[in-house]
Amino acid sequence: MTSPPTPHLFDPEIQQALDLAGIFVFAISGALLAVRKNLDVFGMVVLAEATGLGGGVIRDLIIGAVPPAAFTNLGYFLTPLLAAGLVFFLHPQVERITRAVMVVDAAGLGLFCVTGTTKAHAYHLDLTASATLGVVSAVGGGVIRDVLAQEVPSLLRWDRDLYAVPAMVGAAIVALLFHFHAFTGVGGGIAALVTFVMRLLAMRYGWHGPRAWRRRSARAEVAQEI
């Protein structure tokens, strides 16, 4: 049984280059966390690979696109290794440009939520499931990274800038375009841009998700326990 064709936002060669760039930046974040956790070079490689490829692997396994693209495209597998090697030797310099890395990470977030949604839809999932897997493609690697490093996943922490929400918006836009039979490369690019801009604004203005309604302050909770 042949795999259904997946719509591309750009020319396939350009799309692959953008995919590899996104994987590289995601992998950088995994390798940097390994350095902060004082892990050895193997730990750095594991976190880099998991962060760069984890979301796409989960998506492909769920939709039945096996073996996952990460295991059939050597470039996908080698790119996190390159990122881990760079961080291994130059982590102080990479840490100094973390802000720039986060900007490129935001671009990767926008690209992956769109391409993940389009690929899931190409495998005949309904629009809600397709959008969900688009978000998984974009943020799944980061969740795996944090779990392996024994940290609360960043996207679940109220004190971190919005991350999953921009990806949800971008994936929802793509799903709506499919619903109205209006998906094009331009529309997908706009969805990716919206995600990118939302993430940058969240970083710039410190946007956080709301916590439980009328939640008591931590100080009050501590006082009551005492």
Side-chain angles (χ1 to χ4, degrees), residues 113-204:
C113 76
V114 173
T115 57
T117 304
T118 58
K119 186 168 185 177
H121 185 263
Y123 276 74
H124 310 299
L125 270 69
D126 65 31
L127 297 180
T128 301
S130 296
T132 300
L133 287 183
V135 176
V136 169
S137 300
V139 307
V143 173
I144 296 173
R145 172 201 65 206
D146 292 342
V147 170
L148 289 175
Q150 297 184 330
E151 295 215 342
V152 176
S154 296
L155 63 86
L156 300 181
R157 294 181 54 175
W158 75 270
D159 58 337
R160 299 294 175 90
D161 301 335
L162 293 180
Y163 194 81
V165 171
M168 292 169 63
V169 171
I173 292 173
V174 174
L176 286 173
L177 290 173
F178 277 124
H179 176 72
F180 292 107
H181 306 288
F183 181 82
T184 63
V186 173
I190 291 174
L193 180 62
V194 169
T195 301
F196 174 64
V197 172
M198 281 191 65
R199 173 60 182 154
L200 291 186
L201 290 174
M203 291 164 52
R204 173 66 177 82

Side-chain angles (χ1 to χ4, degrees), residues 27-49:
I28 286 282
S29 72
L32 284 174
L33 180 58
V35 172
R36 298 183 191 116
K37 288 287 186 175
N38 202 30
L39 304 184
D40 64 12
V41 65
F42 181 74
M44 292 176 63
V45 168
V46 169
L47 289 193
E49 292 281 355

Side-chain angles (χ1 to χ4, degrees), residues 28-120:
I28 286 282
S29 72
L32 284 174
L33 180 58
V35 172
R36 298 183 191 116
K37 288 287 186 175
N38 202 30
L39 304 184
D40 64 12
V41 65
F42 181 74
M44 292 176 63
V45 168
V46 169
L47 289 193
E49 292 281 355
T51 311
L53 304 176
V57 169
I58 294 172
R59 176 203 62 220
D60 288 352
L61 291 176
I62 290 175
I63 66 179
V66 292
F71 296 96
T72 58
N73 187 319
L74 187 60
Y76 287 1
F77 187 79
L78 293 180
T79 297
L81 290 179
L82 177 62
L86 177 69
V87 173
F88 181 83
F89 290 106
L90 300 174
H91 62 88
Q93 290 83 355
V94 175
E95 288 278 12
R96 283 199 290 270
I97 61 169
T98 298
R99 196 70 179 179
V101 171
M102 291 176 66
V103 171
V104 182
D105 178 274
L109 183 76
L111 176 67
F112 283 9
C113 76
V114 173
T115 57
T117 304
T118 58
K119 186 168 185 177

